[in-house]
Amino acid sequence: MLFHVRMNVNLPAAMPADQATQLKADEKALAQRLQDQGKWRHLWRIAGQYANISVFDVDSVDELHALLTSLPLFPYMQVDVMPLCRHPSSIRDNDS
């Protein structure tokens, strides 16, 4: 199942810099591991924002929820999820 996920991050201004740095490093490590596993298929930064657009490929909504809530930055995110399915007018028969 493919999902389009927008994540907006809003770290508190009062968060100590070393804590923010560690959260970002932990987030990057997990994001890269999920990409290696094929679960986090695409990751795109939204220019000028602390936000991204991602495509996840998971077996269920429950799996997506578990992955998103496991992200170190999740407590500081606004997350919008849209399930995706193939459009009948697409000229491609795969997800490339």
Side-chain angles (χ1 to χ4, degrees):
M1 301 176 74
L2 295 177
F3 293 91
H4 169 280
V5 179
R6 179 181 173 137
M7 295 177 242
N8 294 18
V9 182
N10 186 20
L11 295 178
M15 179 179 282
D18 59 335
Q19 181 183 359
T21 299
Q22 186 61 56
L23 279 171
K24 292 173 188 178
D26 294 345
E27 180 87 8
K28 181 177 182 176
L30 180 54
Q32 290 179 341
R33 187 165 59 250
L34 291 171
Q35 289 174 75
D36 285 339
Q37 295 170 0
K39 298 293 182 181
W40 198 328
R41 294 271 295 272
H42 298 279
L43 175 55
W44 299 95
R45 177 174 304 273
I46 300 173
Q49 300 179 33
Y50 193 3
N52 73 71
I53 297 292
S54 295
V55 175
F56 285 83
D57 188 356
V58 293
D59 294 328
S60 68
V61 175
D62 290 330
E63 182 182 10
L64 177 65
H65 181 76
L67 290 178
L68 292 175
T69 58
S70 73
L71 296 173
L73 290 172
F74 180 77
Y76 310 101
M77 288 181 183
Q78 175 189 343
V79 179
D80 295 310
V81 176
M82 290 185 287
L84 301 173
C85 60
R86 179 140 328 275
H87 194 284
S89 298
S90 175
I91 63 170
R92 292 179 174 73
D93 59 0
N94 62 31
D95 296 319
S96 60

